[in-house]
Amino acid sequence: MLLIGPRGTRWFVPANTPREVVNAMHQGAKTAVPAPDVLERLRVTGNEALGSTPAEFEQRFKADLVKFAKIVKDAHIPVQD
């Protein structure tokens, strides 16, 4: 499940979260997000839910890291801790 909004793609868990936990969260989101009240809440806050698998999200996240690293480098923004 991807959450797309004015600040980009997000839907994160801590690094090394067990795959079973990620899958359980995914299943919960697949159940909750289609509810009309949840969709409306997302809409009014400028967000949109797009269906995906955890593996598809991981691919998109990695691609976003490459994309934004280039933007930061090209803009000469200093890396911070």
Side-chain angles (χ1 to χ4, degrees):
M1 180 72 56
L2 296 178
L3 188 60
I4 309 296
R7 296 186 185 180
T9 304
R10 59 200 178 280
W11 190 271
F12 301 103
V13 296
N16 301 316
T17 298
R19 182 59 59 182
E20 307 81 53
V21 173
V22 172
N23 290 337
M25 291 175 65
H26 174 69
Q27 289 302 318
K30 279 178 50 177
T31 301
V33 170
D37 59 322
V38 174
L39 289 174
E40 177 62 11
R41 176 79 135 178
L42 290 171
R43 187 192 68 74
V44 301
T45 58
N47 295 287
E48 176 186 6
L50 301 175
S52 69
T53 66
E56 290 167 334
F57 175 78
E58 184 176 5
Q59 285 180 316
R60 182 172 180 146
F61 180 75
K62 287 178 179 179
D64 282 351
L65 285 177
V66 171
K67 172 183 160 183
F68 290 110
K70 181 176 179 351
I71 290 170
V72 168
K73 181 180 177 187
D74 291 350
H76 305 287
I77 299 170
V79 178
Q80 299 177 10
D81 292 330

